[in-house]
Amino acid sequence: MNESWGITANLGATALAVAAQRAAETAQENPLIRDEFAALLVAAVHEPGWQTMARGDLSWMGPEDDIGRRTARTGREYVATRTLFFDGFCRSATTSGIRQVVILAAGLDARAY
């Protein structure tokens, strides 16, 4: 297998997309979660499409693209919901005495910082 790694391709794109979804949720009026670093990480890529995604801006989709809009909202809400769940789980574990948490495959997640 001859794959190159880049932040906008393959696994890098997955990490970038999840960060963009966390940023998009943070940008909502009443966000379920807040990740103040996500938009900064996405902006560092210097590609407008990713930044649009991170703002939660769906205006680039035509009004007739209801499926696209629903898919984008569902993705954002899924990432926010799982983030809320895992944050609560880790908070509970550390409150009960666990002193170390290892975040595997965190990608561009700087919330632990």
Side-chain angles (χ1 to χ4, degrees):
M1 182 176 354
N2 187 14
E3 285 189 41
S4 63
W5 192 91
I7 194 63
T8 60
N10 303 319
L11 292 176
T14 300
L16 189 57
V18 173
Q21 293 288 26
R22 286 194 316 274
E25 180 63 23
T26 301
Q28 299 304 304
E29 188 173 324
N30 295 305
L32 187 59
I33 54 106
R34 297 195 63 79
D35 182 348
E36 303 301 334
F37 295 110
L40 296 170
L41 291 167
V42 174
V45 173
H46 301 293
E47 289 191 12
W50 289 105
Q51 293 174 29
T52 300
M53 183 184 203
R55 286 190 304 273
D57 178 7
L58 303 180
S59 65
W60 61 274
M61 292 182 182
E64 70 286 347
D65 192 1
D66 186 51
I67 293 174
R69 289 173 179 276
R70 291 180 76 173
T71 301
R73 282 193 301 270
T74 300
R76 186 192 78 233
E77 290 171 356
Y78 167 73
V79 168
T81 302
R82 79 177 193 183
T83 299
L84 184 69
F85 171 79
F86 284 120
D87 284 358
F89 180 83
C90 290
R91 188 176 303 108
S92 176
T94 56
T95 300
S96 9
I98 300 296
R99 297 183 335 159
Q100 181 178 2
V101 175
V102 177
I103 304 172
L104 299 176
L108 296 174
D109 192 344
R111 289 174 308 106
Y113 173 74

